[in-house]
Amino acid sequence: MSQQRTILLSHLRATHSVCVLGTKCLLDIYGSFPPGADSFTVQGSPGVHVCIVYNPEKIQAGPNTALWPLNRGAEVTVTTVVPSEHINDNKVKVVYYGGNGKVLLGSARLYLTSIALSLHVDTSRDGTVDIKNTSKASWTWGPYGHGAILLVNCDRDDADSQGTDNVDMEISSYADLKDMSCLSLKSQGPKTFFKTNKVLLHVSPSYSEKLRVFHRTATDIDYKHVLGSDTLFYEVEYDGEEEHTFYVEGLSFPDAGFSGLVYIGVTLLEVTEKGIPESPVFTEKVVFRMAPWIMTPNTLPPQEVFVCSLPENADFLEQISELAKSANCKLTVCSEVDSRKDRWIQDEMEFGYTEAPHKYFPVVFDSPRNRGLKDFPFTKILGPDFGYSTREPINEFDVTAMDSFGNLEVSPPVTVRGKAYPLGRILIGSVVLTNTGRRMTQVVRDFLYAQQVQAPVELYSDWLIVGHVDEFMTFVPAQNQKGFRLLLSSPTACYRLFQEKQKQGHGGAILLQGRDTHQKTIDDVLSDEKRRAESHYVQSCINWNRNILKKELGLTEQDIIDIPALFLMEHKKARAFFPNMVNMLVLGKRLGIPKPFGPIIDGKCCLEENVRSLLEPLGLHCTFIDDYVSYHQYDGNVHCGTNVRRVPFSFKWWNMDLHSHGIRGILSSL
């Protein structure tokens, strides 16, 4: 039973009211009864179930009698069995007695109209509306959970539209309709009843800007906007139909101050007498959860590679094209006109997706960096079944390099101290102390935390000049229990390798030969005490993150591979000395790794050979890509200059068990 209402009875005149199937009506038999009455009996017609609720320690019902003491110790409730065919065709009669039940003093009569009225949504999450959805007003996580789901309708199915589909109040096409969730209002009862009483669909002001509701007309052609966007109530007009179909459109992803839950209600208003305002006799609500935006890690199969065309990167483009072709990926090249000389396509956007039981589509999340590529995600990627979202701070001066999305990554699925994160965990670069240094702007961080399903971990990246997490870490697929390995940049590993080569008599081998006016030999690097001290500092910063990642991703040392790297310090910040090999493009088992131009020993780059020896046993194919002129000299490498759209997770986010996770994730940088 969804609710209970009270009906006041009177012995002076008959009462007419309505009872909705699935509800209990409490009869107030004490408000108006004949003077001197001390007991009563109650009877209902065949369509009414009458129930007496009492405390047997205080009230003793006599054997073989329906006579009850009138001492407020007994409650009378009634329910109806089937919808009425006619107005007032269900009857209840309360008879009052005095003289200890021996004298008939009067009676109260109730005429009930039984109505079926209910909202229905996809509570079982199988893509179809459930008729028997008793748990529709609550939402629970997990494989045995329940509750309907809304997609944020942020794609653009109408080619003539100037924005995403959720900015207008129209349904432009059948494709647009498929992005919405169905809501059904079913009713049964005498047709004349619905012509004289009101049925209102409604949403509270706090949710009105988060959704829109459209009513399908009888012609199945037009869809009328009826709720949301400042419209809080809609009176459903009845012309004999027993089912009304509505389509619900999500407008906003979860965010700060918005959990993602939205409620829609229906209320029946009864008209008692002409000139008297109608009164509510029944209300019911259903809940939807807005589907989150979900990031995809390197370990998911690639679908499409994005890269910018520049005057000086023709060779780079050719190498990326060959790599994408070998990985069976589509290649999309952003023209010089569209990029406006901005080469950092990884920093501009992050690909993810959103999903409901009935529909999935990718969504590009546009960063607030707003450089040359700022319009590319909106003008070139947004389209049919390809969504768009962004977050911009109020003050544009709050945006720093930390808000570029090279500073936004996600781990593969992990289990940490018994807690499963089947969609991985978001990783963002930040500072050690929150009152100093740079960190990702609050509006972006709020958005990422609010999605709930990829509980963020904050790392320390402010020690870098650019400040991005992809400068010291990445994930690659592996045939181990976890399904991946974490790669970390390591000055210590580089020094160890160079010391080994020096002992083998190769101290004179040149690093960055032909690529830098400040070429160094292995001997030069190992004898430079200032560089060694700087490398020790950099390694300590990476080790700080190493420990965070081990703790928050449940990793051991066996899950981590150290990739040789060297950094230079400028103004107390670090940048890569030679191309940073962890800043790679991962396309399944094929890796596009920045060519490090390491010391040539026996005709081969010793840095490349070292990395091959670490990664090829995992079944990975290493392709070293020359990005020195076009990217490295501008403080970025292959990963910074590319972007990848990937296959979504097969795991459904609503099946997560978040009861043990909490909803804010873990702030690991404090």
Side-chain angles (χ1 to χ4, degrees):
M1 298 294 180
S2 60
Q3 58 187 192
Q4 180 172 289
R5 57 181 292 251
T6 300
I7 300 175
L8 176 64
L9 300 186
S10 172
H11 74 290
L12 300 175
R13 61 187 178 93
T15 301
H16 299 79
S17 192
V18 59
C19 185
V20 177
L21 290 181
T23 66
K24 289 181 179 180
C25 292
L26 174 65
L27 305 186
D28 183 356
I29 62 174
Y30 304 102
S32 176
F33 57 84
D38 56 27
S39 55
F40 71 94
T41 61
V42 59
Q43 292 180 324
S45 61
V48 180
H49 283 174
V50 179
C51 181
I52 308 294
V53 182
Y54 67 99
N55 185 341
E57 295 180 359
K58 297 181 179 180
I59 296 178
Q60 296 295 324
N64 302 319
T65 180
L67 193 65
W68 294 86
L70 193 66
N71 65 358
R72 297 186 181 273
E75 290 186 347
V76 180
T77 62
V78 297
T79 57
T80 53
V81 180
V82 294
S84 294
E85 293 184 4
H86 308 286
I87 298 291
N88 300 327
D89 61 357
N90 294 285
K91 301 175 181 63
V92 179
K93 181 180 180 181
V94 179
V95 180
Y96 296 97
Y97 296 88
N100 295 320
K102 297 178 181 180
V103 181
L104 175 63
L105 299 180
S107 64
R109 295 179 182 271
L110 171 64
Y111 295 91
L112 280 176
T113 303
S114 178
I115 298 299
L117 185 67
S118 56
L119 291 172
H120 300 277
V121 291
D122 178 17
T123 55
S124 61
R125 304 167 186 166
D126 62 0
T128 59
V129 171
D130 300 300
I131 303 303
K132 296 180 179 180
N133 44 9
T134 56
S135 300
K136 53 195 170 186
S138 61
W139 207 99
T140 58
W141 295 88
Y144 304 104
H146 62 265
I149 293 168
L150 273 184
L151 287 174
V152 177
N153 191 14
C154 59
D155 66 340
R156 181 164 58 195
D157 293 311
D158 183 0
D160 295 328
S161 174
Q162 299 301 309
T164 55
D165 288 341
N166 58 358
V167 301
D168 58 39
M169 297 187 185
E170 297 179 354
I171 294 179
S172 60
S173 64
Y174 180 72
D176 192 15
L177 189 70
K178 296 295 288 183
D179 295 337
M180 303 181 192
S181 295
C182 191
L183 169 70
S184 175
L185 173 62
K186 292 183 179 292
S187 60
Q188 283 182 284
K191 292 181 174 56
T192 54
F193 176 87
F194 291 105
K195 291 183 179 180
T196 57
N197 298 276
K198 293 183 179 181
V199 175
L200 292 183
L201 207 64
H202 50 86
V203 62
S204 73
S206 57
Y207 305 128
S208 65
E209 295 300 323
K210 308 301 182 184
L211 58 81
R212 288 196 195 96
V213 180
F214 297 87
H215 189 187
R216 186 176 69 184
T217 64
T219 62
D220 282 352
I221 297 176
D222 297 323
Y223 297 86
K224 178 183 178 183
H225 171 247
V226 296
L227 276 184
S229 300
D230 296 329
T231 303
L232 304 182
F233 301 94
Y234 172 61
E235 182 177 350
V236 182
E237 296 182 1
Y238 281 82
D239 54 4
E241 66 274 23
E242 293 186 347
E243 181 176 4
H244 288 257
T245 301
F246 300 86
Y247 290 92
V248 188
E249 174 184 45
L251 304 183
S252 301
F253 284 104
D255 212 328
F258 174 44
S259 69
L261 292 177
V262 292
Y263 296 85
I264 298 174
V266 63
T267 295
L268 174 61
L269 297 176
E270 182 184 24
V271 178
T272 54
E273 295 184 19
K274 189 175 182 179
I276 302 297
E278 62 268 12
S279 59
V281 295
F282 170 80
T283 190
E284 180 180 75
K285 66 180 179 180
V286 294
V287 61
F288 290 89
R289 181 177 287 279
M290 214 69 71
W293 178 74
I294 301 171
M295 290 180 63
T296 51
N298 283 352
T299 49
L300 288 175
Q303 292 182 303
E304 185 174 6
V305 178
F306 292 79
V307 64
C308 293
S309 175
L310 304 167
E312 70 272 22
N313 77 340
D315 291 342
F316 179 83
L317 276 181
E318 183 177 351
Q319 294 174 83
I320 294 296
S321 177
E322 287 298 318
L323 185 66
K325 183 178 180 181
S326 68
N328 197 29
C329 285
K330 177 183 177 182
L331 178 68
T332 295
V333 179
C334 174
S335 69
E336 294 180 46
V337 173
D338 290 328
S339 70
R340 292 181 292 185
K341 299 182 179 180
D342 184 358
R343 68 196 69 212
W344 308 117
I345 199 164
Q346 178 67 224
D347 288 341
E348 181 58 38
M349 59 192 183
E350 187 70 47
F351 287 107
Y353 69 94
T354 190
E355 184 175 22
H358 68 284
K359 184 71 181 287
Y360 140 86
F361 56 79
V363 178
V364 61
F365 186 34
D366 193 0
S367 78
R369 67 189 283 269
N370 292 341
R371 292 171 63 179
L373 280 160
K374 67 176 182 176
D375 296 327
F376 179 74
F378 188 82
T379 60
K380 299 298 181 179
I381 296 179
L382 169 64
D385 285 341
F386 210 126
Y388 172 90
S389 185
T390 190
R391 290 295 181 273
E392 299 273 356
I394 296 176
N395 186 349
E396 62 178 304
F397 298 106
D398 291 339
V399 177
T400 69
M402 308 289 267
D403 297 304
S404 296
F405 284 169
N407 197 33
L408 173 61
E409 297 296 322
V410 65
S411 80
V414 292
T415 298
V416 185
R417 297 181 293 278
K419 297 179 183 179
Y421 298 87
L423 302 176
R425 301 190 68 176
I426 287 173
L427 306 171
I428 56 179
S430 192
V431 293
V432 174
L433 299 176
T434 57
N435 61 339
T436 60
R438 301 166 297 170
R439 66 193 320 227
M440 187 174 283
T441 188
Q442 191 67 42
V443 291
V444 176
R445 294 173 71 252
D446 285 345
F447 175 84
L448 296 173
Y449 275 99
Q451 306 315 304
Q452 300 191 44
V453 296
Q454 295 179 301
V457 176
E458 298 200 26
L459 301 173
Y460 175 39
S461 65
D462 191 40
W463 55 276
L464 290 152
I465 287 176
V466 176
H468 296 174
V469 293
D470 70 349
E471 296 179 78
F472 62 84
M473 61 163 292
T474 194
F475 298 94
V476 294
Q479 298 297 320
N480 60 358
Q481 185 176 4
K482 288 186 171 66
F484 68 90
R485 291 287 184 89
L486 167 64
L487 309 186
L488 289 178
S489 294
S490 175
T492 297
C494 190
Y495 271 87
R496 186 165 56 243
L497 176 65
F498 283 1
Q499 287 167 347
E500 175 186 320
K501 298 305 177 184
Q502 186 185 56
K503 289 180 181 179
Q504 295 172 356
H506 302 293
I510 299 173
L511 187 64
L512 297 178
Q513 186 171 11
R515 286 291 175 179
D516 198 298
T517 56
H518 302 287
Q519 298 176 19
K520 302 288 183 181
T521 65
I522 289 177
D523 288 337
D524 292 335
V525 171
L526 295 180
S527 63
D528 189 332
E529 292 301 324
K530 181 176 182 296
R531 185 186 301 275
R532 186 180 291 272
E534 292 174 349
S535 295
H536 179 77
Y537 164 75
V538 167
Q539 188 66 60
S540 69
C541 294
I542 295 172
N543 286 346
W544 178 276
N545 291 304
R546 186 190 203 96
N547 292 329
I548 292 174
L549 290 163
K550 287 169 66 176
K551 176 183 177 183
E552 302 301 347
L553 301 184
L555 305 181
T556 66
E557 282 298 318
Q558 287 68 40
D559 300 315
I560 302 172
I561 297 176
D562 291 312
I563 301 298
L566 285 180
F567 292 81
L568 297 174
M569 298 295 297
E570 294 181 11
H571 307 293
K572 298 184 178 180
K573 300 289 183 182
R575 60 158 42 104
F577 175 49
F578 57 80
N580 191 347
M581 291 184 285
V582 299
N583 194 264
M584 63 178 67
L585 175 62
V586 181
L587 302 178
K589 293 183 177 181
R590 301 184 182 278
L591 310 180
I593 305 173
K595 188 175 182 62
F597 295 97
I600 303 300
I601 297 174
D602 297 330
K604 296 180 180 179
C605 171
C606 67
L607 289 171
E608 290 185 21
E609 290 303 294
N610 178 261
V611 170
R612 289 186 190 276
S613 71
L614 294 171
L615 300 183
E616 289 184 349
L618 303 178
L620 302 172
H621 303 276
C622 300
T623 299
F624 289 90
I625 296 175
D626 183 357
D627 67 354
Y628 196 92
V629 173
S630 52
Y631 293 92
H632 178 70
Q633 289 186 333
Y634 299 93
D635 290 329
N637 292 108
V638 172
H639 185 260
C640 304
T642 58
N643 214 317
V644 182
R645 178 173 64 88
R646 300 181 184 275
V647 171
F649 286 102
S650 60
F651 181 87
K652 307 304 180 185
W653 62 266
W654 52 86
N655 288 331
M656 286 188 67
D657 180 9
L658 287 191
H659 298 294
S660 59
H661 288 184
I663 63 172
R664 287 292 297 173
I666 296 176
L667 183 60
S668 298
S669 65
L670 294 180

PDB file of all heavy atoms in Angstrom, residues 70 531 637:
ATOM      1  N   LEU A  70     -17.287   1.840  20.977  1.00  0.00           N
ATOM      2  CA  LEU A  70     -16.963   3.134  20.364  1.00  0.00           C
ATOM      3  C   LEU A  70     -16.106   3.933  21.345  1.00  0.00           C
ATOM      4  O   LEU A  70     -16.554   4.894  21.955  1.00  0.00           O
ATOM      5  CB  LEU A  70     -18.266   3.877  20.029  1.00  0.00           C
ATOM      6  CG  LEU A  70     -18.154   5.106  19.121  1.00  0.00           C
ATOM      7  CD1 LEU A  70     -17.703   4.708  17.726  1.00  0.00           C
ATOM      8  CD2 LEU A  70     -19.513   5.814  19.049  1.00  0.00           C
ATOM      9  N   ARG A 531      72.201  17.862 -11.667  1.00  0.00           N
ATOM     10  CA  ARG A 531      71.155  17.072 -12.312  1.00  0.00           C
ATOM     11  C   ARG A 531      70.774  15.874 -11.440  1.00  0.00           C
ATOM     12  O   ARG A 531      69.601  15.504 -11.355  1.00  0.00           O
ATOM     13  CB  ARG A 531      71.624  16.592 -13.682  1.00  0.00           C
ATOM     14  CG  ARG A 531      70.525  15.851 -14.453  1.00  0.00           C
ATOM     15  CD  ARG A 531      71.088  15.258 -15.742  1.00  0.00           C
ATOM     16  NE  ARG A 531      71.642  16.273 -16.607  1.00  0.00           N
ATOM     17  CZ  ARG A 531      70.928  16.985 -17.464  1.00  0.00           C
ATOM     18  NH1 ARG A 531      69.621  16.806 -17.538  1.00  0.00           N
ATOM     19  NH2 ARG A 531      71.505  17.870 -18.242  1.00  0.00           N
ATOM     20  N   ASN A 637      54.228  15.318 -25.449  1.00  0.00           N
ATOM     21  CA  ASN A 637      54.646  14.195 -26.279  1.00  0.00           C
ATOM     22  C   ASN A 637      53.441  13.532 -26.936  1.00  0.00           C
ATOM     23  O   ASN A 637      52.399  14.169 -27.082  1.00  0.00           O
ATOM     24  CB  ASN A 637      55.476  13.210 -25.448  1.00  0.00           C
ATOM     25  CG  ASN A 637      56.826  13.784 -25.036  1.00  0.00           C
ATOM     26  OD1 ASN A 637      57.048  14.103 -23.871  1.00  0.00           O
ATOM     27  ND2 ASN A 637      57.726  13.953 -25.990  1.00  0.00           N
TER      28      ASN A 637
END
